């Protein structure tokens, strides 16, 4: 393990923490997508079960003001007969249809008992240019019978546009029955009916009915598998990066040692230059100097 001593340096420790945090985040994102998948499956089961129940009379499901009792009724099919209050219909801004911008048209339907039901007559394309329902989308006159899905009133969460609390509005940020109830003379039932069938029949010039909720599971499973795959790839690739770096350091150290050894061999002998040297005396004359 000595080859991985570099991994204990501060900058590498920070790298380990970052990678580990990244893996934890990706795993949690995958788990969150699985939770979203289960929520979608549960919702689909509720939609299927409730929409298969017998069609109920709208006034029998809840009384005006009973907003807290509608949650268990959403996606039930209901029917009602009455007369549209066309002069009191409003737009709900920012509703797309196949990515096209537009609005919903909400029209109160006055019932025989004097209460009214908010009917979502459908979607119109407006690209944000309207602040009231155009005249060409006027509600039909006379008695009509409507059948559709019960949808809960919408309320603002932590974010989103805020509608004025007072005054008569011609467009809303959301299908808020309580806010609409402030400007409609009749008492409104505490939910919206998403129109599917109307008698007399829906006209070609009427808003396009909003489709029933799709029962697909969405992309949550594929997203979860992607996050788990990213986590696994990180856990495989990061050790390989450490291994590669360890080999690079070993190679650098080995090359440095070879360079040092070569340098030592190339150095001249550093001893006393006179060591081992023999002093040679001038040659003595030979023979008789006189001869």
């Amino acid at each position: 393990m000595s080859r991985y001593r570099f991994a204990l340096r501060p900058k590498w420790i920070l790298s380990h923490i970052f990678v580990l945090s990244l893996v934890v985040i990706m795993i949690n994102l995958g788990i969150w997508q699985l939770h979203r998948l289960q929520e979608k499956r549960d919702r689909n089961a509720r939609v299927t079960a409730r929409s298969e129940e017998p069609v109920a009379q709208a006034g029998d499901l809840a009384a005006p003001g009973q907003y807290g009792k509608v949650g268990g009724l959403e996606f039930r099919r209901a029917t009602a007969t009455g007369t549209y209050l066309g002069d009191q219909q409003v737009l709900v801004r920012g509703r797309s249809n196949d990515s096209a911008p537009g609005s919903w048209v909400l029209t109160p339907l006055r019932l025989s008992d004097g209460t009214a039901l908010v009917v979502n007559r459908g979607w119109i394309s407006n690209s944000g240019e309207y602040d009231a329902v155009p005249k060409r989308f006027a509600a039909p006159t006379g008695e009509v019978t409507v059948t559709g899905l019960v949808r809960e009133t919408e309320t603002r969460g932590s974010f989103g546009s805020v509608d004025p609390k007072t005054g008569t509005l011609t467009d809303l940020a959301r299908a808020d029955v309580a806010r609409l109830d402030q400007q409609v003379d009749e008492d409104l039932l505490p939910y919206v009916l998403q129109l599917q069938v109307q008698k007399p029949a829906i006209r070609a010039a009427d808003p396009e009915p909003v489709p029933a909720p799709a029962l697909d599971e969405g992309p949550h499973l594929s997203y979860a598998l992607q996050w788990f795959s990213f986590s696994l790839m990180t856990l495989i690739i990061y050790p390989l990066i450490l291994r590669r770096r360890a080999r690079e350091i070993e190679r650098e150290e080995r090359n440095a040692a070879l360079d040092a050894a070569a340098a030592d061999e190339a150095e001249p002998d550093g001893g006393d230059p006179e060591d081992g040297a023999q002093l040679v005396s001038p040659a003595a004359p030979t023979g008789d100097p006189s001869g």
Side-chain angles (χ1 to χ4, degrees):
M1 295 299 294
S2 60
R3 64 190 297 189
Y4 292 100
R5 286 195 304 270
F6 74 92
L8 299 178
R9 296 172 185 170
K11 69 176 183 179
W12 281 101
I13 291 176
L14 291 176
S15 175
H16 307 333
I17 294 173
F18 172 76
V19 171
L20 181 60
S21 301
L22 195 61
V23 170
V24 170
I25 290 172
M26 290 189 293
I27 290 175
N28 277 279
L29 286 172
I31 294 173
W32 176 70
Q33 287 293 342
L34 291 179
H35 287 316
R36 294 284 292 123
L37 174 62
Q38 188 58 50
E39 290 174 357
K40 195 69 176 289
R41 288 173 174 171
D42 293 342
R43 177 179 178 271
N44 291 345
R46 287 196 305 273
V47 172
T48 301
R50 291 176 182 174
S51 61
E52 290 177 350
E53 294 184 36
V55 179
Q57 288 295 322
D60 295 340
L61 295 177
Q66 293 182 329
Y67 295 105
K69 298 183 179 181
V70 178
L73 301 173
E74 191 166 30
F75 306 119
R76 280 287 306 271
R77 296 182 69 230
T79 187
T81 299
T83 305
Y84 280 124
L85 302 175
D87 59 338
Q88 300 189 61
Q89 62 184 1
V90 298
L91 289 176
V92 177
R93 306 183 303 271
R95 305 296 164 156
S96 62
N97 183 15
D98 288 335
S99 301
S103 300
W104 288 345
V105 177
L106 302 186
T107 309
L109 180 75
R110 183 167 51 209
L111 309 180
S112 59
D113 62 359
T115 62
L117 170 66
V118 178
V119 179
N120 182 348
R121 294 176 51 226
W123 175 89
I124 63 172
S125 175
N126 62 6
S127 303
E129 60 184 287
Y130 305 135
D131 55 8
V133 180
K135 292 182 179 180
R136 66 176 181 273
F137 295 111
T141 59
E143 188 175 82
V144 296
T145 298
V146 295
T147 303
L149 295 178
V150 172
R151 302 304 302 267
E152 286 190 86
T153 180
E154 297 180 346
T155 56
R156 182 178 181 272
S158 302
F159 304 96
S161 302
V162 178
D163 290 320
K165 295 182 179 180
T166 59
T168 300
L169 307 179
T170 57
D171 65 311
L172 300 173
R174 57 195 61 84
D176 187 345
V177 177
R179 178 62 186 86
L180 189 56
D181 200 11
Q182 296 179 25
Q183 61 190 54
V184 175
D185 294 334
E186 290 74 10
D187 292 330
L188 297 180
L189 296 180
Y191 59 86
V192 176
L193 187 75
Q194 182 175 307
L195 182 63
Q196 293 180 312
V197 179
Q198 178 179 281
K199 296 179 181 180
I202 297 172
R203 302 165 300 183
D206 285 335
E208 180 181 344
V210 177
L215 298 181
D216 63 278
E217 296 183 349
H220 303 298
L221 180 59
S222 61
Y223 286 166
L225 293 176
Q226 287 179 17
W227 285 120
F228 292 142
S229 298
F230 294 156
S231 302
L232 181 61
M233 290 171 59
T234 303
L235 291 175
I236 293 174
I237 293 173
Y238 189 66
L240 294 177
I241 292 174
L242 296 178
R243 181 182 178 185
R244 179 179 178 180
R245 181 56 185 155
R247 288 181 172 179
E248 289 176 351
I249 292 175
E250 283 186 339
R251 186 165 55 251
E252 292 170 358
E253 291 177 348
R254 184 168 57 251
N255 291 339
L258 292 174
D259 291 344
D264 288 343
E265 291 177 0
E267 278 187 11
D269 192 344
D272 186 346
E274 295 184 357
D275 286 351
Q278 294 183 351
L279 297 178
V280 179
S281 299
T286 57
D288 187 355
S290 59

